[in-house]
Amino acid sequence: MRLRNVPGSDETIENSNKAYTNPEDYKGSWKNVFGNDNEIHIEIGMGKGQFLTQMAERNPNINYIGIEKYSSVLVRALEKLEDNELDNIRFIRMDAENIENVFEQGEVDKIYLNFSDPWPKDRHAKRRLTSHRFLDRYNNVLKKDGVVEFKTDNDLLFEFSLEQAPEAGWNIDAFTWDLHNDAELNEGNVMTEYETKFSSMGNKIHKMIISR
Ligand code: SAM
């Protein structure tokens, strides 16, 4: 994602009651933040929040938390919320490598990874959000029968992810190289910003669902 500094974005996030910059303080008590016992689904690297906002609109009985590293991006997701009264969505500004400091074991019911940065150089492989190292972190926050759903248009990242999952002890429950032409896996699909852009350019969208 091309990053442009958005003046005032840090202040906007600090002043928002939907965004958190001190998420460690809420570890183990995210249900209290929402005031109910509903499931908690998170998206890591949510960008400008199109996917998560639509998911929250469609599923009022699920709580959604979007994680994004950069204030200048997260602030765009907050702007999307200005026009609606959604109670079931929050945002966290953080690097996902600290996720175990933010959620207790089993506190998360589902993890979405959408169009994660590919980090094409071998020496950066550990930064990929579907790397063995990150899957181990997810293992420590996701409930026992929880799943990770991953979408990308990047062939190499998808191949890498299909290899990393079994290496890290995860099962591949389902996968497709052409999501939009897979009636079963595409049912109810909510498009992300990147998905909209890349599929309109003719790129095939890939998806995998994994569990332990
Ligand atoms: N998920 C969105 C979509 O599909 O349209 C955005 C995809 S964009 C290519 C990837 C996003 O992930 C960027 O906004 C980036 O800042 C964020 N990101 C990358 N690595 C991250 C990390 N380790 N922790 C949190 N966010 C991260």
Side-chain angles (χ1 to χ4, degrees):
M1 175 164 300
R2 214 155 44 110
L3 282 180
R4 203 165 44 83
N5 184 38
V6 177
S9 53
D10 282 335
E11 290 79 359
T12 306
I13 291 168
E14 299 287 349
N15 293 331
S16 166
N17 60 1
K18 298 271 189 201
Y20 299 84
T21 54
N22 55 340
E24 297 85 359
D25 294 353
Y26 298 88
K27 182 174 179 177
S29 56
W30 286 102
K31 288 202 191 278
N32 297 342
V33 167
F34 290 100
N36 59 50
D37 279 337
N38 293 344
E39 287 195 2
I40 294 178
H41 295 188
I42 67 175
E43 184 186 8
I44 301 177
M46 63 152 179
K48 298 177 188 166
Q50 169 176 308
F51 170 81
L52 215 63
T53 307
Q54 281 187 34
M55 292 295 280
E57 281 168 354
R58 280 191 189 187
N59 305 298
N61 295 327
I62 296 174
N63 296 321
Y64 291 94
I65 300 177
I67 293 173
E68 171 54 48
K69 192 154 58 164
Y70 295 108
S71 297
S72 50
V73 182
L74 193 154
V75 79
R76 298 300 183 214
L78 273 178
E79 284 166 5
K80 284 200 177 68
L81 284 190
E82 272 170 17
D83 300 333
N84 60 44
E85 297 286 311
L86 288 173
D87 278 336
N88 60 332
I89 188 164
R90 298 290 187 279
F91 301 130
I92 296 174
R93 190 198 62 204
M94 64 177 270
D95 190 315
E97 65 180 29
N98 298 317
I99 195 166
E100 292 149 296
N101 300 327
V102 171
F103 297 101
E104 282 291 356
Q105 175 81 58
E107 195 170 12
V108 175
D109 294 276
K110 190 168 188 173
I111 298 176
Y112 292 103
L113 306 170
N114 291 321
F115 296 80
S116 309
D117 294 336
W119 293 106
K121 294 192 175 122
D122 282 348
R123 71 172 188 276
H124 291 149
K126 284 182 180 163
R127 297 186 192 172
R128 296 175 195 150
L129 292 181
T130 51
S131 64
H132 192 145
R133 203 158 78 150
F134 269 97
L135 292 174
D136 286 348
R137 294 180 176 126
Y138 307 151
N139 188 35
N140 288 329
V141 300
L142 193 63
K143 77 167 177 188
K144 205 161 149 256
D145 56 348
V147 299
V148 175
E149 293 198 8
F150 169 56
K151 292 195 281 190
T152 183
D153 69 322
N154 186 300
D155 293 352
L156 290 177
L157 179 63
F158 194 58
E159 263 171 31
F160 169 85
S161 308
L162 288 171
E163 286 165 11
Q164 290 284 291
E167 253 184 66
W170 293 65
N171 307 311
I172 298 172
D173 297 336
F175 75 97
T176 174
W177 285 87
D178 188 3
L179 176 64
H180 295 174
N181 286 307
D182 184 314
E184 201 178 322
L185 285 184
N186 199 42
E187 201 188 330
N189 184 49
V190 169
M191 302 254 271
T192 80
E193 255 126 12
Y194 272 63
E195 185 172 357
T196 307
K197 182 168 133 194
F198 289 129
S199 58
S200 74
M201 289 162 55
N203 295 8
K204 294 233 182 309
I205 306 303
H206 320 319
K207 177 171 181 171
M208 83 177 184
I209 302 175
I210 58 171
S211 64
R212 302 89 101 213

